[in-house]
Amino acid sequence: MGKLYGIGVGPGDPELLTLKAHRILNAADVIFCPEKEAGAGSFAFDIIQGLLKDTKAEIVNLVYPMHYHGSQLREMWKQNAGCIAEHLSGERTGAFITLGDPAVYSTFMYTLPYIERRGVTVEVVPGVPSFCAVAARLGAALCEKSERLLIVPASHKDVDDCLDVDANLVFMKAGREIGALKEKLAEKGLLE
């Protein structure tokens, strides 16, 4: 069985891709690209496409719908893991690309246990998470000295329990809930 790399491609700027990720992507036999529905395309692939100058890699899109229906998602992760394992038969090398860093709310990590059950060797290659890129662009520290940092998935309406925690807050995945999040932050005097 081949090897799969779960690669974080960063927040959108191709120049933030790590050298290791770049090397692996240009040597991979297959690049797996998540998309929210068939034919929608992959934001992660859009980031790296211009960096794949001489690649002969097969590009395989895998559907990962943006919903939270547990049993349907688990079945999809299992099916995608099967597809990945089939493409990596023999000694082929694959790269599964994901936005930001694979360890932070990543599509890849949901599929990882199913991939490993198929006997595929996996290595995770970190990427620059969006909140670090934003802090860098603003020239602001996310936390200093003994400050704590709390990362909150804001796609769920109930973030109230996090607003009173003594920590610097990073809200991710707000999506359609961005308006409600802004209202809650304003109510607590945290909008700035």
Side-chain angles (χ1 to χ4, degrees), residues 78-123:
K78 187 177 176 181
Q79 288 174 6
N80 285 343
C83 177
I84 291 166
E86 286 175 26
H87 278 86
L88 297 183
S89 63
E91 295 300 315
R92 297 184 82 198
T93 301
F96 185 114
I97 56 175
T98 187
L99 296 173
D101 181 272
V104 182
Y105 302 118
S106 165
T107 304
F108 175 74
M109 292 308 248
Y110 296 122
T111 309
L112 178 59
Y114 299 95
I115 297 167
E116 290 176 326
R117 286 181 200 145
R118 295 292 197 126
V120 175
T121 302
V122 178
E123 181 179 330

Side-chain angles (χ1 to χ4, degrees), residues 154 159 163 171 174 177-192:
V159 297
L163 297 177
F171 292 97
E177 299 303 323
I178 190 73
L181 176 61
K182 285 181 178 179
E183 286 176 20
K184 287 185 184 221
L185 291 173
E187 287 171 14
K188 292 279 191 175
L190 298 172
L191 194 55
E192 292 298 319

Side-chain angles (χ1 to χ4, degrees), residues 57-182:
E58 177 183 0
I59 307 301
V60 176
N61 290 332
L62 300 171
V63 175
Y64 283 87
M66 298 297 152
H67 64 69
Y68 297 98
H69 307 298
S71 61
Q72 290 175 345
L73 282 176
R74 282 189 294 282
E75 186 56 34
M76 180 216 39
W77 299 333
K78 187 177 176 181
Q79 288 174 6
N80 285 343
C83 177
I84 291 166
E86 286 175 26
H87 278 86
L88 297 183
S89 63
E91 295 300 315
R92 297 184 82 198
T93 301
F96 185 114
I97 56 175
T98 187
L99 296 173
D101 181 272
V104 182
Y105 302 118
S106 165
T107 304
F108 175 74
M109 292 308 248
Y110 296 122
T111 309
L112 178 59
Y114 299 95
I115 297 167
E116 290 176 326
R117 286 181 200 145
R118 295 292 197 126
V120 175
T121 302
V122 178
E123 181 179 330
V124 178
V125 179
V128 176
S130 59
F131 54 88
C132 290
V134 168
R137 180 171 241 163
L138 295 173
L142 288 170
C143 44
E144 297 176 324
K145 298 179 183 165
S146 62
E147 292 176 329
R148 295 182 290 172
L149 181 65
L150 177 60
I151 302 167
V152 181
S155 56
H156 302 287
K157 294 180 183 185
D158 187 16
V159 297
D160 291 337
D161 59 331
C162 299
L163 297 177
D164 294 324
V165 174
D166 180 24
N168 295 334
L169 303 172
V170 169
F171 292 97
M172 293 186 66
K173 307 278 187 181
R176 293 182 204 127
E177 299 303 323
I178 190 73
L181 176 61
K182 285 181 178 179

